[in-house]
């Protein structure tokens, strides 16, 4: 027999499934509406750009499963089907727009790639304006749906429907802050039943601890006399061992139980509850840990790196030949670098220096223009004439696309340091190793070698703390003009 907690979980899953199916229906509606608008309404307005009609909608239907798959993965990975009672509307709207923009870019790239193979799309030309209309309509419909669902649920919650009754165990500042937050957001759908004082909490309660229903020893009576959906324990670490029997009693009654964990109030790490072979673990992480978003990042890395390597093959052969002809020696420069959490790997670059550059390092130490443990010199005499050109436009880093395919690196991430530099890092700087290194990051689009070392490290940590797939796409888009202009390169 299901207890109350299991029933609530099943209800939440049922609602999430319903919203998910509605989302897919709206994306499908946008797919067909975009065709109608582009094929009939826009040409009827007499606009020259839209004078030609589209192929029949049947020619576009093979792209619908692709669109639904993209939106499905991105909506699920962005957490759109978790409870959003306490999520601000602006945050949800921003997430929907990011999902739509990312899906639109990937959809356009996929259509372009499919058109390269006549066996997949034949000679059909897929309208770019249709893709743009499809993305705009999908975003608008999804946004309107979320606003409507939120407005409807908040309308009923504010009027006392679909609310959950919460009992707070503890009267400390943290418990009072939780109560104040719940009472200040009625549309969340929570109602504070009252407070229960812990065993170590004595004396007159604070004025905002109202109503005080009793002590922990009276909790069974309080639960029997009131409707309680959730119990939140906000107590000290020393008291946790004393509440095991109470927790088991709440579990037997199917009452959802939460613990306000504030073990390390000064930590910046994100806390996640996980399970290892049945053992619950409280995980503190200062880097992204979401399986779906990171898997999506890896999928994009592999797809784009493979595509870029294919497109750049003639350039790669040309550069390799030029290096052989102008300076002799090896074409590729191999160097040990530190990757994710310090893992060592061999990084590949086109050689841009003379063959004995490493042995001559002591001759140019005085030219270092960068503070900290790194070496950067804009007028390094060891760099060849061809090497300067390759460095200016970052062409020397093309072989690192192979590192991306191998999994050593990502397209976007902090640049991989050499072990000697890592050995001289300060403690806070080592956190930049908590994410897989990449070809480009915030540092590259913020001036590259014109940025000092400490600012470089801060930009890497800023990237880690605010990472999302959408941030990666923005960095990649901003990297293109920076590379083409050669700004900040040395």
């Amino acid at each position: 027999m299901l207890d109350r907690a299991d029933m609530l979980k099943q209800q939440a899953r049922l609602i999430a499934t319903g919203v998910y199916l509605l989302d897919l229906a709206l994306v499908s509606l946008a797919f067909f509406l975009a065709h109608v608008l582009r094929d009939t309404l826009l040409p009827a307005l007499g606009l020259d750009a839209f004078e030609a009609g589209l192929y029949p909608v049947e020619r576009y239907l093979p792209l619908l499963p692709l669109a639904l798959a993209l939106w499905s993965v991105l909506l699920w990975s962005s957490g759109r089907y978790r409870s959003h009672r306490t999520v601000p509307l602006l945050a949800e709207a921003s997430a929907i727009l990011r999902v739509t923009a990312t899906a639109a870019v990937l959809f356009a790239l996929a259509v372009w790639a499919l058109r390269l193979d006549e066996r997949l799309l034949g000679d059909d030309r897929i309208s770019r304006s249709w893709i743009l209309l499809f993305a705009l309509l999908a975003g608008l419909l999804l946004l309107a749906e979320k606003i409507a669902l939120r407005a409807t649920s908040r309308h009923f919650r504010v009027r006392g429907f679909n609310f959950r009754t919460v009992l707070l165990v503890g009267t400390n500042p943290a418990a009072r802050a939780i109560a104040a937050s719940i009472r200040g957001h009625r549309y969340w759908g929570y109602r504070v039943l009252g407070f229960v004082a812990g065993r170590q909490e004595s004396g007159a309660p604070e004025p905002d601890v109202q109503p005080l229903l009793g002590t922990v020893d009276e909790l069974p009576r309080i639960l029997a006399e009131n409707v309680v959906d959730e119990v939140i324990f906000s107590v000290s670490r020393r008291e946790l061992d004393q509440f095991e029997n109470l927790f088991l009693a709440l579990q037997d009654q199917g009452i959802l139980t939460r613990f306000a964990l504030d073990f390390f109030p000064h930590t910046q790490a994100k806390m996640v509850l996980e399970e290892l072979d049945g053992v619950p673990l409280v995980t503190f992480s200062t880097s992204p840990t979401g399986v779906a978003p990171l898997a999506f990042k890896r999928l994009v890395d592999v797809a784009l790196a493979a595509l870029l390597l294919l497109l750049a093959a003639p350039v790669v052969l040309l550069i390799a030949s030029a290096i052989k002809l102008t300076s002799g020696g090896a074409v590729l420069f191999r160097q040990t670098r530190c990757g994710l959490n310090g893992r060592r790997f061999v990084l590949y670059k086109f050689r841009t220096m003379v063959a004995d550059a490493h042995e001559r390092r002591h001759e140019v130490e005085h030219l270092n223009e960068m503070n900290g443990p790194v070496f950067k010199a804009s007028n390094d005499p060891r760099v060849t004439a061809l090497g300067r050109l390759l460095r200016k436009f970052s062409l020397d880093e093309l072989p690192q696309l192979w590192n991306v395919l191998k999994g050593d690196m990502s397209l976007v991430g902090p640049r991989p340091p050499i072990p000697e530099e890592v050995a001289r890092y300060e403690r806070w700087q080592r956190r930049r190793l908590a994410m897989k290194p990449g070809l480009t990051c915030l540092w590259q689009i913020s001036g590259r070698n014109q940025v000092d070392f400490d600012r470089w490290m801060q930009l890497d940590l800023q990237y880690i703390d605010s990472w999302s797939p959408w941030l990666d796409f923005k960095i990649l888009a901003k990297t293109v003009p920076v590379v083409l202009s050669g700004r900040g390169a040395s």
Side-chain angles (χ1 to χ4, degrees), residues 316-337:
V316 168
L317 291 174
L318 182 63
I319 293 174
S321 301
I323 293 174
K324 270 294 185 184
L325 291 172
T326 57
S327 64
V331 169
L332 290 179
F333 171 70
R334 298 172 174 83
Q335 187 178 45
T336 299
R337 297 289 183 105

Side-chain angles (χ1 to χ4, degrees), residues 38 52 73 79 109 114 127 143 380 468 473:
R38 174 62 185 84
V73 170
L109 288 173
L114 290 172
S127 168
L143 197 56
D380 193 328
S468 69
F473 279 108

